[in-house]
Amino acid sequence: MTTTTTDRPAPSRTLWQRLARSLTQHDSFGAYFEPLIQLALPMWSTSGYRTKVLEVRTELPDVYSLVLKPGRGWGGFRAGQFVQIVAEQNGVLCSRHFSISSSPDHYARTGLIELTIRVQDKGRITPWLRQQFANGGWLRISAAQGDFVLPQGNGPVLLLAGGSGITPFRSMLNQLRAQNDNRDVQLLYFARDNQHFLFRDEFNRLQLDNPQLNITLLDNEQHGLISAELLQQYCPDFARRQILICGPAPMIALSRNILTDMQVPQQNIGFEYFGAAPIDQPRSSSDAALVAFRQSGINVDIAAGESARSLLEVAENAGLKPVSGCRVGVCHQCICQKQSGVVYNTRTGQYSDTGAGEIQLCISVAASDLVLDL
């Protein structure tokens, strides 16, 4: 299994990073000037790996896989990890995080990875990616990230998947076969109906190769949502297993509540949200918005009826000091990563979608609850 490692920086490099951080609030001067350089060279970046899109393969009518060939220097991954992809859409860099659905063994043999993506209803990026790269192209990917991986050892495991949350589990199961690891694995895979199970034939072949692997397909139309009764029926020894959950946020929340009620220790439960975790703090009213600055741990409640303020003003009034320049949306110095939520762009008059993406703080207004990397 290939893993991504980080070398310890040399002392001079650390000093340079500290200087850059003190003057620009970025870890490098290149990162600080990146927005300006990207005005002329949109795909220029101080981070990420140039990656070729070889194929867009349809899995289901609303699900497709990107087949990618990462560029030189990309460090590989562990089964279950994800990458951030960055692509240019109408002159603007857009980014999203997706789990790698192929296995590390597949990458070692072919140099290729696959990202399996469900088209989001009314989404701006996921349908565009399929159309944009239908004939190939180039984008950038990050190093592999995340710790949603199989536990060490050969203890029994229960995997709970919902919808396209099956993608990291596909990577894990194929990697186990490649390693001749025949540990006891139970997979309960939930989909909205019988027509929406991904990789059905592939999973059948995996079961034939490993008698210790049991995969149960449970469609919501026939079986309903995950429940204590279904767990006891299809995996009665769940309490002795390490449990991994991946799927939509409501499915994860429901699964965790059920397992907690059934006295499963929290340390035996791992889970992976699509995108940012939901915010538990309630809003003050149906028209108010909660802006969560994740890195600083500060939440700002924008009351219903309050005059609209740019997110740059909201951040500064909360005591934060984000990098900024022109304050009118030209210099791009205040670009910030939005993890979730909808913003209104006062310069273009457009609303963002709900997923992750870069925004300009000085010309963006909260249109819903937000999570920002600041």
Side-chain angles (χ1 to χ4, degrees):
M1 183 178 295
T2 307
T3 59
T4 302
T5 60
T6 303
D7 294 330
R8 184 177 180 178
S12 59
R13 174 69 172 166
T14 301
L15 180 61
W16 188 251
Q17 287 179 329
R18 289 177 179 173
L19 177 62
R21 171 60 62 177
S22 67
L23 296 176
T24 70
Q25 298 183 37
H26 288 72
D27 288 331
S28 72
F29 290 103
Y32 177 69
F33 288 111
E34 184 172 293
L36 295 177
I37 296 173
Q38 286 173 347
L39 292 176
L41 302 171
M43 286 304 292
W44 188 90
S45 176
T46 58
S47 61
Y49 300 86
R50 196 164 185 259
T51 294
K52 188 173 185 178
V53 182
L54 298 180
E55 181 185 359
V56 179
R57 186 179 65 235
T58 297
E59 307 289 357
L60 294 174
D62 61 345
V63 180
Y64 61 93
S65 292
L66 294 180
V67 181
L68 307 178
K69 184 175 181 58
R72 181 180 302 175
W74 192 70
F77 66 104
R78 299 176 67 187
Q81 289 190 304
F82 63 88
V83 293
Q84 179 190 46
I85 70 171
V86 180
E88 181 188 349
Q89 183 188 42
N90 299 324
V92 178
L93 291 181
C94 303
S95 65
R96 290 290 184 276
H97 294 87
F98 298 108
S99 294
I100 302 171
S101 60
S102 53
S103 68
D105 173 73
H106 179 76
Y107 174 62
R109 290 185 287 106
T110 66
L112 306 179
I113 63 172
E114 296 180 5
L115 310 179
T116 301
I117 299 167
R118 186 179 73 82
V119 177
Q120 294 185 355
D121 295 338
K122 300 179 182 179
R124 182 169 60 91
I125 301 300
T126 51
W128 174 80
L129 284 172
R130 177 163 63 177
Q131 181 179 10
Q132 176 69 16
F133 293 103
N135 297 315
W138 294 87
L139 46 73
R140 301 187 72 87
I141 66 171
S142 69
Q145 305 171 55
D147 55 4
F148 187 72
V149 297
L150 282 169
Q152 296 289 331
N154 59 0
V157 178
L158 169 61
L159 309 177
L160 299 176
S164 53
I166 192 65
T167 54
F169 296 144
R170 180 205 185 204
S171 178
M172 294 176 187
L173 296 179
N174 276 294
Q175 187 63 17
L176 289 176
R177 181 179 64 173
Q179 296 174 330
N180 294 316
D181 185 333
N182 292 326
R183 75 175 68 182
D184 181 352
V185 178
Q186 294 276 344
L187 168 61
L188 303 187
Y189 178 13
F190 292 82
R192 58 190 178 192
D193 58 48
N194 192 44
Q195 304 304 312
H196 282 83
F197 289 107
L198 287 161
F199 314 121
R200 191 194 300 252
D201 293 339
E202 184 176 318
F203 288 155
N204 287 336
R205 291 192 296 271
L206 288 171
Q207 283 193 108
L208 292 176
D209 291 342
N210 180 7
Q212 292 281 83
L213 171 62
N214 287 291
I215 299 176
T216 304
L217 307 182
L218 299 164
D219 71 77
N220 296 148
E221 287 185 344
Q222 180 178 355
H223 298 91
L225 303 176
I226 186 172
S227 65
E229 291 74 20
L230 288 175
L231 274 177
Q232 290 170 328
Q233 180 178 355
Y234 292 105
C235 187
D237 62 347
F238 65 89
R240 72 181 184 90
R241 297 172 180 270
Q242 290 288 321
I243 301 172
L244 298 179
I245 314 168
C246 187
M251 178 262 186
I252 292 178
L254 178 59
S255 301
R256 294 179 64 198
N257 289 338
I258 292 170
L259 293 168
T260 299
D261 290 343
M262 300 174 81
Q263 309 300 315
V264 175
Q266 291 299 306
Q267 63 268 25
N268 290 358
I269 306 171
F271 53 93
E272 180 97 318
Y273 283 108
F274 294 159
I279 302 171
D280 293 332
Q281 185 171 342
R283 293 168 58 174
S284 58
S285 80
S286 60
D287 294 322
L290 179 70
V291 181
F293 297 102
R294 191 172 68 167
Q295 294 182 17
S296 56
I298 294 175
N299 293 339
V300 177
D301 201 352
I302 300 176
E306 181 179 336
S307 299
R309 293 180 291 160
S310 73
L311 290 172
L312 179 59
E313 292 174 298
V314 173
E316 290 175 338
N317 289 340
L320 301 175
K321 296 179 180 179
V323 175
S324 63
C326 67
R327 305 179 76 90
V328 293
V330 175
C331 75
H332 291 242
Q333 290 296 291
C334 63
I335 282 179
C336 175
Q337 184 71 20
K338 171 177 69 72
Q339 289 297 327
S340 65
V342 178
V343 299
Y344 177 74
N345 186 314
T346 59
R347 189 176 175 88
T348 65
Q350 294 181 334
Y351 290 89
S352 73
D353 64 9
T354 57
E358 289 186 340
I359 62 170
Q360 291 173 263
L361 293 173
C362 70
I363 55 172
S364 298
V365 175
S368 75
D369 291 347
L370 296 173
V371 179
L372 303 178
D373 268 347
L374 191 66

